[in-house]
Amino acid sequence: MNETRQKNQEENAKPLTVLFICSGNTCRSPMAEVIAKDIHEKTLHAPKCRFLSAGLSVVAGDKAAEEASLAMADLGLRLGERPAQSVTEEMLQEADLVLTMSNAQRTLLLTRFPGYTAKTFVLNRYVGAENTDIEDPYGQPLEVYRHTAVQLRESLERLMDRLAAM
């Protein structure tokens, strides 16, 4: 009986909301969102999560970079056609964890929205990865996007382990 009750509580629990932030929301953060969803679906020990992404300097009407879509397709994933979106106060309020792709983005985000320091981290620093920043592939050749996708996958696998330990 206790196992059934615990399982029902877990199923009804509010999902942990993780918000990924990059500059334009056309490369790294939407890639992170899609990769995180994929890893999460395959990870039995991770808590119930919802993954979102946004950007700090979004150009209205921008969509994911073509190279980002191609790099994701190499992983068997799809970025989709949603437009880039700017980070908002509401997104930050809703998020349980905010992960930026670089130190500079964390600093800029917290300058604009100073009340979120306690839940805002640089992704690679949060998961203990070797390189702190995930460099922006925007405007670079497809190989750079592929490298970014691999780097994100490695960091996000570590993230799932960290979330499971919470």
Side-chain angles (χ1 to χ4, degrees):
M1 186 78 138
N2 282 342
E3 288 179 31
T4 304
R5 184 179 303 156
Q6 183 178 356
K7 186 174 182 180
N8 287 339
Q9 287 175 344
E10 288 173 7
E11 288 174 2
N12 294 326
K14 179 184 173 274
L16 181 74
T17 299
V18 179
L19 176 62
F20 297 106
I21 303 289
C22 71
S23 299
N25 194 224
T26 61
C27 303
R28 292 170 290 177
S29 63
M31 290 169 73
E33 177 184 352
V34 170
I35 293 169
K37 286 176 182 176
D38 180 61
I39 294 169
H40 185 262
E41 287 175 10
K42 298 170 183 171
T43 305
L44 299 176
H45 63 279
K48 193 173 176 181
C49 293
R50 188 168 75 115
F51 301 99
L52 306 169
S53 67
L56 291 164
S57 304
V58 173
V59 175
D62 267 1
K63 295 199 181 327
E66 182 179 346
E67 294 85 352
S69 294
L70 292 170
M72 298 308 298
D74 287 350
L75 297 177
L77 303 173
R78 211 174 109 73
L79 272 184
E81 295 295 320
R82 80 161 176 81
Q85 56 186 354
S86 293
V87 64
T88 64
E89 181 92 27
E90 293 77 28
M91 288 176 177
L92 294 168
Q93 288 171 353
E94 190 176 313
D96 297 297
L97 180 62
V98 179
L99 298 170
T100 65
M101 300 295 126
S102 71
N103 283 309
Q105 288 163 350
R106 181 179 187 275
T107 300
L108 180 57
L109 179 71
L110 293 175
T111 299
R112 290 185 190 168
F113 303 97
Y116 300 96
T117 304
K119 63 179 174 181
T120 303
F121 304 90
V122 177
L123 171 62
N124 277 354
R125 182 168 287 163
Y126 188 75
V127 299
E130 199 170 306
N131 296 321
T132 303
D133 291 352
I134 294 177
E135 297 300 325
D136 191 355
Y138 186 77
Q140 300 294 316
L142 179 56
E143 274 313 306
V144 177
Y145 284 82
R146 286 179 176 143
H147 175 74
T148 299
V150 168
Q151 201 179 13
L152 283 167
R153 179 168 284 287
E154 290 170 0
S155 294
L156 294 168
E157 285 171 350
R158 289 174 152 190
L159 175 64
M160 291 310 148
D161 291 338
R162 176 137 189 211
L163 294 177
M166 292 176 84

